[in-house]
Amino acid sequence: MGVRGEARARREVRDRGDLRVRQELRGRWERARSWSGANPWAVDLGIALLVQAAMTMPFVVPRPPEIEPATWAAYGLTTLTVVPLVWRRRAPVAVLLAILATNTLYVLALEGPGQPLPYTGLVIVYTIALLSPPRKRLATAGLMVVAVPVSVWLNTRSARELTFSLFVFGAAYVFGRLQDARQRAHLIEAERAAARERARIAREMHDILSHAVSLMIVQAEAGPVAVRAAPERAEAAFEAISETGREAMTQLRQMLGLLREGTEGAPPREPQPDLSGIPALVERVRSGGLLVEYTTEGGVRALPTATGASAYRIVQEALTNVVKHADARRAEVRLAHADGVLRVTVTDDGRGPAPGPAGRGSGGHGLTGIRERAAAHGGTVTTGPAPGGRGFEVRVLLPVPSTAEVGR
């Protein structure tokens, strides 16, 4: 291995290590978010304890001799301003009023140490901006416009404190609204991801059922004729129907397992089909009477799981279209592996593209599914008459990462 090869190997090891670290951190963050969503009481209690720790600092820091020492009464009243935060999600406006009342009592009745930041007020204003409806948010904003100047007048009566207090409370409100917008965006993205997943599963089930039912219909229609003319062929046809049905049931159970994943009693996930399953797929189609030739070109590549599954489904759907629509005698499946791309070509000698909504070249569900699968991987699809003008051809180009080569 040359110097460049060693450098590339070290870089790949470092990249894999960085990826593992990022995945581990992301996993921990997701678990923490899931736990906090399932335990809101614990989160609110933790926030209250954190605020209490921050507000305790002025009581434990030594005070100058000319200033009277802090009293336990002052500390107890400070704690009383923190306790309502435990209910901040359930009654945020009531918690705000309780905090304002205890803070006013603290300023008027006791001579305790001041706080560098109005921690409790900032937390509850942020919570109201995040969780409350517009009317409560507007009422809170109006209340704070009045309460902040009054609090400053009771404390230092300085313009500097007034400006600072208005700024930090305004920042808490803005951060709450930004977090609400972020959560809404995440919810919309989650709904879109769920819709994409439903569409993907629907496409998979369409491919499975369409392929299996088409082959079973062909075999069933040929069965009576074979029974009279060649009983041994009839037996093979019935065996092919049985095998096709079992294969379809296996794949359907796998898809339903994806829908039930994470629920009690869900079956274990089975591996997705890939290029290694294409020879068996071709053999099942041959059992229906269609002469199918399967060839590969180029060096052997190990595709990413998603790309391999999509390539398999593309070939499956293209052959299903041949069986259902082409009235063909022969078909050819070619896979060409080249640098950075996999070319999938399925050609038949049938009647070729037909115009109209149901025509093979007009984009029925099958061709639409092929295009969607290719587009999901940044690939392209071209359909049209086969070379020579007879038959139909589907040509698909799928980008393949160079790191997918066998032996890397």
Side-chain angles (χ1 to χ4, degrees):
M1 182 183 294
V3 176
R4 292 184 178 179
E6 292 179 356
R8 183 175 62 182
R10 287 194 298 269
R11 184 167 59 251
E12 289 179 354
V13 171
R14 184 177 65 252
D15 291 344
R16 286 195 294 268
D18 293 343
L19 178 61
R20 284 194 297 271
V21 171
R22 289 195 298 269
Q23 289 175 341
E24 183 177 355
L25 292 176
R26 189 181 299 114
R28 291 180 179 178
W29 171 250
E30 293 298 330
R31 288 193 295 272
R33 288 184 58 186
S34 177
W35 183 89
S36 64
N39 301 274
W41 269 99
V43 174
D44 292 343
L45 180 60
I47 291 175
L49 292 175
L50 183 63
V51 172
Q52 178 65 31
M55 296 186 69
T56 301
M57 295 299 175
F59 288 88
V60 299
V61 173
R63 308 183 73 187
E66 64 272 12
I67 300 179
E68 294 184 4
T71 64
W72 283 105
Y75 184 72
L77 191 56
T78 300
T79 302
L80 193 61
T81 66
V82 177
V83 171
L85 290 179
V86 177
W87 291 272
R88 68 186 185 94
R89 298 176 195 259
R90 295 156 187 82
V93 175
V95 170
L96 173 62
L97 295 176
I99 289 174
L100 288 176
T102 52
N103 276 329
T104 302
L105 181 62
Y106 182 86
V107 172
L108 295 177
L110 296 173
E111 186 65 29
Q115 298 289 337
L117 284 172
Y119 300 106
T120 54
L122 294 178
V123 171
I124 196 59
V125 168
Y126 168 86
T127 302
I128 292 175
L130 174 63
L131 302 178
S132 297
R135 291 180 60 183
K136 290 185 177 181
R137 296 200 303 266
L138 183 61
T140 299
L143 179 61
M144 297 310 297
V145 168
V146 176
V148 169
V150 171
S151 176
V152 172
W153 185 83
L154 292 174
N155 190 23
T156 62
R157 303 184 182 183
S158 67
R160 179 179 179 181
E161 182 183 358
L162 176 62
T163 304
F164 177 75
S165 298
L166 290 174
F167 173 78
V168 294
F169 277 107
Y173 185 89
V174 170
F175 287 153
R177 298 307 306 145
L178 291 176
Q179 180 65 12
D180 178 64
R182 181 185 178 188
Q183 291 180 354
R184 291 177 182 273
H186 285 173
L187 180 61
I188 293 174
E189 179 58 30
E191 292 175 349
R192 289 176 178 172
R196 289 193 297 267
E197 183 66 9
R198 287 194 298 269
R200 185 190 70 81
I201 293 176
R203 190 166 58 241
E204 292 277 347
M205 297 185 73
H206 166 269
D207 291 352
I208 294 169
L209 290 174
S210 178
H211 175 75
V213 172
S214 297
L215 291 183
M216 292 169 73
I217 289 174
V218 171
Q219 295 285 1
E221 289 177 344
V225 177
V227 166
R228 294 189 295 269
E232 67 280 359
R233 288 185 55 194
E235 181 178 351
F238 293 137
E239 289 179 354
I241 292 174
S242 176
E243 181 182 353
T244 302
R246 284 195 298 269
E247 176 68 18
M249 288 299 298
T250 299
Q251 296 191 40
L252 285 175
R253 280 195 297 269
Q254 179 180 346
M255 297 308 302
L256 293 175
L258 292 177
L259 292 175
R260 296 171 55 195
E261 189 175 43
T263 62
E264 186 176 356
R269 293 186 58 176
E270 299 179 10
Q272 287 284 324
D274 55 19
L275 298 187
S276 63
I278 292 182
L281 171 67
V282 169
E283 190 59 36
R284 286 198 300 273
V285 176
R286 284 177 185 151
S287 66
L290 181 67
L291 300 177
V292 185
E293 181 181 355
Y294 174 53
T295 59
T296 61
E297 302 174 5
V300 177
R301 304 271 178 166
L303 301 181
T305 301
T307 307
S310 293
Y312 176 92
R313 295 300 186 197
I314 286 170
V315 173
Q316 182 185 54
E317 185 57 38
L319 290 176
T320 301
N321 283 346
V322 174
V323 172
K324 291 172 62 177
H325 305 297
D327 192 22
R329 295 175 55 111
R330 294 178 177 273
E332 182 182 3
V333 177
R334 295 194 307 275
L335 300 183
H337 300 268
D339 289 338
V341 68
L342 171 66
R343 292 180 176 86
V344 180
T345 307
V346 180
T347 309
D348 65 70
D349 63 353
R351 56 173 174 251
R360 297 178 64 202
S362 59
H365 289 299
L367 291 180
T368 299
I370 290 175
R371 292 190 178 96
E372 290 175 349
R373 290 182 186 282
H377 301 281
T380 59
V381 178
T382 306
T383 60
R390 175 170 174 77
F392 191 76
E393 185 172 71
V394 177
R395 298 176 294 277
V396 181
L397 270 66
L398 295 176
V400 177
S402 59
T403 55
E405 294 182 14
V406 175
R408 284 280 181 95

